[in-house]
Amino acid sequence: MRQTPKLWEATYEAETSEDLAEAYRKWCALYDRDTVKVMGYVGPQTAAAMLDAYLDSKSCRVLDAGCGTGLVGEFLRSFGYNHIDAMDYSPDMLGEAEKKGVYNRLIQADMNDKLNIPDDCYDATICVGTFTYAHVGPHAFEELVRVTRPGGYICFTIRDGAYQDYNYREKMLDLEAEEQWELQELWEKDYLTNENVTAKFCTYKVLAG
Ligand SMILES: C[S@@+](CC[C@H](N)C(=O)[O-])C[C@H]1O[C@@H](n2cnc3c(N)ncnc32)[C@H](O)[C@@H]1O
């Protein structure tokens, strides 16, 4: 049976944000190879294609939240988007993302805190691979809604297992009940194909609140 790479495990076992940043510091250079080639990571292209179906202009302002090394940004850029900002907690992952040359702006921020980004700043927000074990909890949806303009879209993945353990669905439903956002689609899809791991792929439309 395939062994999960150890560097990957450390990101799931982090107990503090400092531990997590250290795990990504060690992993950043090998992240693309390990995820895409070894684990069969297909989250970025699936989510980028989902979001693309909702956006009516390639000059939309898009925030890639938890951008990592920029896999999502690369797909969005290949679809023609030319205003993509990258946000991540890890300076090392942001450094890898910068090398891809697909982002307008790089923002170092902790999604578990309030973001230093004005309200309604983006036409769309995409967040792939970041709602998972030991990373970002469901309360962060509120900030993604705040920085995305009414009528804009938020597309994100939630890893299976973490989805159940961290009660993401409860927060999603609370925000639906508060008319903060409206569900467009929610699918269970392949995520890490070589590990037989799926994720929820969700798209919401932001409401005026
Ligand atoms: C599994 S990677 C996904 C990266 C990229 N979106 C992708 O699909 O390849 C998760 C990313 O979330 C970032 N992250 C974890 N916790 C975070 C937090 N609290 N705030 C912002 N980014 C965070 C990590 O630094 C890492 O780059």
Side-chain angles (χ1 to χ4, degrees), residues 10-77:
T11 69
Y12 280 167
E13 289 164 3
E15 289 183 5
T16 65
S17 46
E18 290 77 19
D19 289 350
L20 190 63
E22 178 60 11
Y24 276 109
R25 186 188 67 74
K26 290 182 177 153
W27 194 26
C28 64
L30 296 177
Y31 176 91
D32 288 3
R33 186 206 66 183
D34 286 351
T35 54
V36 177
K37 293 205 170 72
V38 180
M39 290 186 269
Y41 184 40
V42 293
Q45 62 262 51
T46 304
M50 260 177 86
L51 180 63
D52 180 47
Y54 288 90
L55 303 184
D56 52 18
S57 162
K58 300 297 182 193
S59 50
C60 279
R61 294 159 303 155
V62 182
L63 176 65
D64 181 3
C67 63
T69 59
L71 295 174
V72 172
E74 278 190 303
F75 281 104
L76 288 174
R77 182 53 73 99

Side-chain angles (χ1 to χ4, degrees), residues 141-162:
F141 291 143
E142 288 178 21
E143 281 293 278
L144 300 189
V145 169
R146 184 183 66 74
V147 303
T148 310
R149 69 164 172 83
Y153 293 92
I154 302 176
C155 180
F156 56 89
T157 64
I158 308 172
R159 189 196 195 278
D160 192 49

Side-chain angles (χ1 to χ4, degrees), residues 119-165:
D119 294 356
D120 306 339
C121 207
Y122 292 98
D123 299 301
T125 296
I126 187 164
C127 183
V128 181
T130 302
F131 292 117
T132 186
Y133 297 112
H135 281 52
V136 177
H139 57 279
F141 291 143
E142 288 178 21
E143 281 293 278
L144 300 189
V145 169
R146 184 183 66 74
V147 303
T148 310
R149 69 164 172 83
Y153 293 92
I154 302 176
C155 180
F156 56 89
T157 64
I158 308 172
R159 189 196 195 278
D160 192 49
Y163 179 78
Q164 294 81 359
D165 290 358

Side-chain angles (χ1 to χ4, degrees), residues 73-88:
E74 278 190 303
F75 281 104
L76 288 174
R77 182 53 73 99
S78 75
F79 297 158
Y81 293 94
N82 53 30
H83 190 136
I84 316 165
D85 288 351
M87 177 174 72
D88 203 282

